[in-house]
Amino acid sequence: MSVAARKPTMRPRRDGVGPRSITILGSTGSIGCNTLDLVARNMDGYAVEALTAHSNVKLLIEQALQFRPRMAVIADARLYDDLKAGLAGTNIAVGAGRAALLEAADMPADWVMAAIVGAAGLEPTLNAVRRGATIGLANKECLVCAGDIMLAEVAHSGATLLPVDSEHSAIFQVFDFDNAQAVDRIVLTASGGPFLGFSRAQMADVTPAQAVAHPNWDMGAKISVDSATMMNKGLELIEAYHLFPVPEERIDILVHPQSVIHSMVAYTDGSVLAQMGVPDMRTPIAYALAWPRREGSPAARLDLAKIGALTFEAPDQKRFPALRLARESLQAGRGAPTVLNAANEVAVQGFLEGRISFLDITQVVERALEALPAPAVDTLDAVIDVDARARREAERWIAARQA
Ligand code: NAD
Ligand code: MG
């Protein structure tokens, strides 16, 4: 059986209609806030079931008071009393800790924004998948670390995955699912991040502040560092492989510094379809919120005459080894992407805390992949175990580096 043949087809359903009851997992983050910005513009269109955050209890309280969810959850259990006090006198249920986070995902929202960063979002997202919800999937790490398991659960429950990552939203919008055999290639565009023109020597001394200052997008710290190493594009390659019925060798990466073309699908007849727009996540979020219809978003209109020129260049795997590591791990299969993702999360955190240098990030990932070559990840427990082993391996390397 070909790789393409065993992939579930993400065929748009045409029966869904709004308004929607929604849950936002990770409501205080960049994607979470952008989602609530859209909801605030159409308060009658949505009923909020649950909002969750990790530790920004102040913002979570503000959001809960504005959007009146049935439940608000803070994952850091030490902040339970703060949340409870902040929402006293309301009828909003309050929860804290991992179990409450999973409970929030179980609330009967028919649309769930999966916007927790990292593998921490896997189990809450899976809970929402298992009850057949429509998922706006921003959390790419959960597909990278457990893509086969996620997709099996989607197929089993009849859940709908709608990509929110701008590249995958673009592909979803121009992918002809009824003629998937006529798709020649997927072209994932990449801004190249803040260090696109840097030599390796110049990258050696870059600071966390420089790395999180993305030229086009305003995002959370982790994905901003991933964009700077270009691991973000590597993770997106793996994400695209799971979402669309196209084999790895026909998914290309193309550097396009203006971030206007969000990605493209090339067909066997020579046509190339692209989705364009200004770089504003409210466009792909609005698409996933309203799908299968469309609704307005406050994103600026694209003015191509003003932009003047769009440029493209091939990615440089020598200066950005994350691209090679991600592709190799996808080729190796099994748990290699799980290891890649977990080690990268630890390494990015280590870099943000000033414990390792920017160039060390991909070193940590490469060492972890060597130490744990493609372990089996057939079950969720196995994924969690491999993820933990990769984190320990990465931590060990960082500690040795500091010693
Ligand atoms: P962020 O850091 O701004 O927000 C992360 C959210 O997750 C916050 O609400 C935080 O409280 C919560 N969170 C973090 N750790 C948690 C934990 N252990 N348990 C429970 N909750 C936790 O991140 P972001 O930029 O909004 O990105 C979120 C996800 O969306 C990431 O997977 C990212 O790759 C993806 N994404 C983001 C963008 C973007 O423009 N920001 C674009 C495409 C994809
Ligand atoms: Mg993206």
Side-chain angles (χ1 to χ4, degrees):
M1 192 174 7
S2 75
V3 174
R6 72 173 163 75
K7 282 176 181 282
T9 304
M10 194 167 43
R11 189 184 296 273
R13 279 200 216 138
R14 296 289 171 199
D15 54 355
V17 282
R20 309 206 123 152
S21 66
I22 67 171
T23 282
I24 303 176
L25 303 171
S27 65
T28 55
S30 162
I31 293 288
C33 290
N34 275 316
T35 307
L36 285 176
D37 178 78
L38 293 170
V39 171
R41 292 163 196 272
N42 179 15
M43 286 292 252
D44 295 338
Y46 303 98
V48 181
E49 283 285 323
L51 298 177
T52 82
H54 181 253
S55 50
N56 191 345
V57 71
K58 185 169 171 280
L59 182 55
L60 180 62
I61 291 167
E62 274 171 36
Q63 292 178 336
L65 292 174
Q66 183 181 357
F67 294 96
R68 297 285 163 167
R70 292 211 294 154
M71 186 182 197
V73 169
I74 192 86
D76 183 340
R78 292 167 300 183
L79 297 167
Y80 175 76
D81 289 343
D82 295 357
L83 183 61
K84 184 128 183 93
L87 296 180
T90 70
N91 55 3
I92 301 166
V94 168
R98 191 78 188 155
L101 180 61
L102 295 173
E103 204 186 311
D106 285 336
M107 300 274 289
D110 50 42
W111 191 92
V112 176
M113 169 54 82
I116 292 173
V117 60
L122 172 61
E123 287 174 275
T125 304
L126 270 178
N127 274 28
V129 164
R130 285 189 187 117
R131 59 177 184 76
T134 298
I135 316 284
L137 187 71
N139 176 240
K140 66 194 83 184
E141 293 93 343
C142 65
L143 269 186
V144 173
C145 74
D148 290 341
I149 289 169
M150 282 261 306
L151 292 184
E153 295 276 8
V154 167
H156 186 248
S157 69
T160 302
L161 280 189
L162 298 173
V164 167
D165 212 349
S166 57
E167 296 76 4
H168 306 74
S169 174
I171 296 162
F172 185 55
Q173 292 182 52
V174 296
F175 197 102
D176 186 349
F177 286 91
D178 291 326
N179 287 293
Q181 76 290 345
V183 171
D184 185 20
R185 310 192 79 80
I186 282 177
V187 183
L188 278 175
T189 50
S191 70
F195 309 137
L196 177 59
F198 280 39
S199 66
R200 294 281 290 172
Q202 286 172 304
M203 285 183 215
D205 308 316
V206 299
T207 63
Q210 285 175 290
V212 299
H214 195 278
N216 305 342
W217 299 95
D218 183 9
M219 310 181 286
K222 194 266 178 179
I223 183 177
S224 297
V225 175
D226 284 345
S227 298
T229 59
M230 291 193 77
M231 182 60 87
N232 184 49
K233 213 49 55 180
L235 300 177
E236 290 183 355
L237 163 72
I238 300 170
E239 181 186 12
Y241 166 82
H242 285 297
L243 286 173
F244 304 105
V246 173
E248 168 273 318
E249 65 275 13
R250 291 199 274 124
I251 306 175
D252 299 333
I253 292 170
L254 177 67
V255 174
H256 164 46
Q258 297 81 22
S259 300
V260 165
I261 294 181
H262 296 305
S263 277
M264 303 180 249
V265 176
Y267 290 89
T268 50
D269 62 3
S271 288
V272 179
L273 302 194
Q275 185 265 354
M276 298 191 269
V278 299
D280 185 329
M281 286 308 293
R282 291 175 299 182
T283 297
I285 295 169
Y287 183 77
L289 255 178
W291 183 88
R293 297 172 298 166
R294 285 189 186 260
E295 67 179 32
S297 122
R301 306 297 94 156
L302 182 61
D303 185 343
L304 285 172
K306 197 164 158 205
I307 293 168
L310 300 180
T311 62
F312 305 93
E313 58 189 271
D316 183 344
Q317 299 202 357
K318 289 220 165 58
R319 283 184 304 123
F320 296 97
L323 294 170
R324 171 181 58 80
L325 293 173
R327 198 174 281 278
E328 284 174 0
S329 75
L330 180 54
Q331 288 164 347
R334 291 165 50 103
T338 315
V339 173
L340 172 97
N341 179 67
N344 181 59
E345 286 190 30
V346 171
V348 169
Q349 191 58 33
F351 169 67
L352 287 170
E353 290 166 0
R355 298 166 64 209
I356 55 171
S357 74
F358 182 76
L359 292 179
D360 283 341
I361 298 172
T362 44
Q363 283 282 318
V364 171
V365 175
E366 185 145 31
R367 293 291 93 77
L369 284 165
E370 283 165 8
L372 299 166
V377 284
D378 300 332
T379 63
L380 179 59
D381 284 344
V383 168
I384 292 168
D385 178 59
V386 166
D387 176 278
R389 281 159 60 202
R391 280 169 205 270
R392 282 197 296 275
E393 196 57 49
E395 280 296 354
R396 219 170 49 78
W397 197 90
I398 291 173
R401 186 74 163 171
Q402 287 183 292

